[in-house]
Amino acid sequence: MTATIHTVAVEKTSGDLAREQQLAWKLAELATRAKDAPQDDEAVAMAKNRIIDNAAIALGAANERAVKVARADALGSKGTGKATIWGLEDKFAPVPAAFANAVGVRFLDNDDCYLAAEYSHPDDNISPIIAVGQHLGVSGADILRGIVVAYEVHVALVGTGDGTGICLHKHKVDHMTHIAAGTAAGLSSMLGLDTEQAYHAINFAVHNAISSRQSRKGDIGAQKEFVPGFSAEISIKAVHHAMHGLKGPNPVYEGVDSIIRRFLNGRDDENAVYKVELAEPGVDALRNIMKTYPKQYAFEYQGQAIIDLALELRKQLPKKGDGVDLDQIEKIVLETSHHTHHVIGTDAQDPQKIDPDSPRGTLDHSIMFAIARCIQAGEFHKDRAYQMTSAEKDELRAIMARIETQFDQRWEDLYHDQDPNVQAYGGRMVITLAVGNEVADEKTRANAHPGGDTPWQRPDYEAKLADYTKDLVSDVERDRFIAAVDGMDSISGDELVRINLIVDAGKLEMPDTNGIY
């Protein structure tokens, strides 16, 4: 392995950094040289797993309001392109198709994750790459390479240990910036662009993909779910314009008025330095996709291991009928990392996070809700977890008020450990019962994590697909789709329409409101 850690620093005066020294150029080189290098078999197989995962979660959310609106937005382009939208047989223009699919994939907060210096959902890159690939009739192998490259770039920007990665959330910048870089690189690789074109595509995409994290605060509507749709649109147009020979603002990372200097650490320190580890183009296998984690539950990633832990501890709690005697629980304390405590725990001091009447976009970022719902229901299903009766809400409100999160330095150290074999996003849970005794245990990683108790394999992705689409898609159609994904390496052109899962046993709904179009 010959990966290199690159130093990324701000220019002292405009124009004093040769483009070959710029991060965007290095990302472009990685992307464009990948076309002539053999692909890693495991990475390609994982890309196929994540396509199946995308189909599952997109159709699992297909009739949610925001997803219906995004899909309806695309209907005006029906017949004007060759891209598909999950669930529909028609073909569409690539930009609206990518937008609709990306919104569907993100809605349940059940897509894959990678956390290091920054947070990310790397499969946000998949929708635009498939849409453009279908539209232009590239090969399935090209699409898979584009996905692997997008993951490679995205994960590298988020961080791969040894102090690498560009943290955005510290400065309240949304992680769309890294999504756009990954997508532009993946599209460039898939389409066989030269390094000059890829460089400008990345500059265009990154520059236009800066947004604040206010999208995750307040009365959350759909902005958080729409972020990957906007990123897909920005990235596709960035590549399109670069292919015409247009030049994006550069250097997009290091410029005196660019990303690092005006939005990140360089805003307060003109000598700020970041480090990014990149594989040697054409030499190293691109395997960053193997570092990413699937999500078993429709909930913020920091809660995945805690949900597993709560379900395991539930088995030891006093029973009442078929459930747990919630009255016997005096309090629950979760010792955990700063993020879990401060962002999705009680230190957030957000009354909505302990109110079961809050919107789903808030509840899926409340560890108090996740713990209470697991103990109450004995499961955490993507739908049933958030569908509650009034009586269940009253019970939840009472138990959520008895849950407290506490910062623990041990879990903070594990959270930030640079060794991926040590790094963990879990906690220790202590449940104190009314009789005085305690039920306690800890979990470092989610079961589904590559380093968890039961790391996900292909059957787990297929089971998730069956569960999330059971009321919409027939077994025959699911089997056809899985076979098509498995055979992507040998298809191209109009055959790429097969990389779509058609709703043939249910109904895709339209919005019940009107907009401009």
Side-chain angles (χ1 to χ4, degrees), residues 15 20 22 26-27 31 58 92 154 175 208 220-221 223 257 285 287 407 419 422 438 444 448 459 463 499 510:
E20 288 78 13
Q22 296 171 25
K26 294 169 183 176
L27 298 178
F92 303 85
H154 198 157
H175 47 237
N208 291 311
I220 296 174
Q223 176 66 27
D257 285 317
R287 288 180 55 84
F407 171 78
D419 184 344
V422 176
E438 296 179 345
T444 54
I499 310 303
M510 290 290 290

Side-chain angles (χ1 to χ4, degrees), residues 236-395:
I236 293 172
K237 289 183 176 179
V239 173
H240 171 73
H241 293 144
M243 291 170 72
H244 279 291
L246 303 181
K247 299 181 178 182
N250 60 89
V252 74
Y253 290 101
E254 303 92 345
V256 294
D257 285 317
S258 199
I259 304 303
I260 293 175
R261 186 69 177 91
R262 297 304 171 195
F263 295 96
L264 306 180
N265 281 354
R267 185 179 56 189
D268 300 316
D269 177 10
E270 64 179 11
N271 296 312
V273 171
Y274 288 99
K275 296 180 179 180
V276 176
E277 183 179 31
L278 297 177
E280 183 64 27
V283 177
D284 295 323
L286 304 185
R287 288 180 55 84
N288 275 353
I289 191 173
M290 303 304 294
K291 299 174 182 176
T292 62
Y293 344 120
K295 263 190 181 181
Q296 183 170 355
Y297 308 109
F299 191 87
E300 160 94 341
Y301 192 78
Q302 282 83 352
Q304 300 291 304
I306 305 306
I307 290 173
D308 283 330
L309 178 59
L311 292 173
E312 291 169 11
L313 289 180
R314 182 182 189 271
K315 300 171 186 176
Q316 304 176 45
L317 299 178
K319 300 298 186 291
K320 182 177 181 180
D322 295 331
V324 169
D325 188 348
L326 299 177
D327 292 333
Q328 295 301 310
I329 298 176
E330 183 175 303
K331 68 175 180 178
I332 300 173
V333 174
L334 176 67
E335 301 163 1
T336 188
S337 66
H338 174 267
H339 177 93
T340 307
H341 174 49
H342 178 71
V343 178
I344 63 174
T346 51
D347 196 45
Q349 299 181 33
D350 182 351
Q352 284 194 311
K353 291 187 185 293
I354 54 172
D355 181 359
D357 281 319
S358 295
R360 179 176 180 144
T362 298
L363 294 178
D364 65 18
H365 284 67
S366 164
I367 199 63
M368 291 74 70
F369 172 76
I371 293 170
R373 192 63 169 137
C374 286
I375 291 173
Q376 179 189 53
E379 64 171 0
F380 201 88
H381 188 267
K382 72 167 179 75
D383 293 325
R384 295 187 292 272
Y386 299 97
Q387 296 169 354
M388 300 159 278
T389 65
S390 295
E392 286 176 322
K393 287 182 178 181
D394 289 341
E395 282 187 340

Side-chain angles (χ1 to χ4, degrees), residues 9 25 47 193 255 308 340 362 387 402 406 410 435 447 450 502:
W25 182 267
L193 271 58
D308 283 330
T340 307
T362 298
Q387 296 169 354
R402 289 179 240 156
Q406 295 178 354
R410 175 189 169 224
V435 293
N447 293 336
I502 307 300

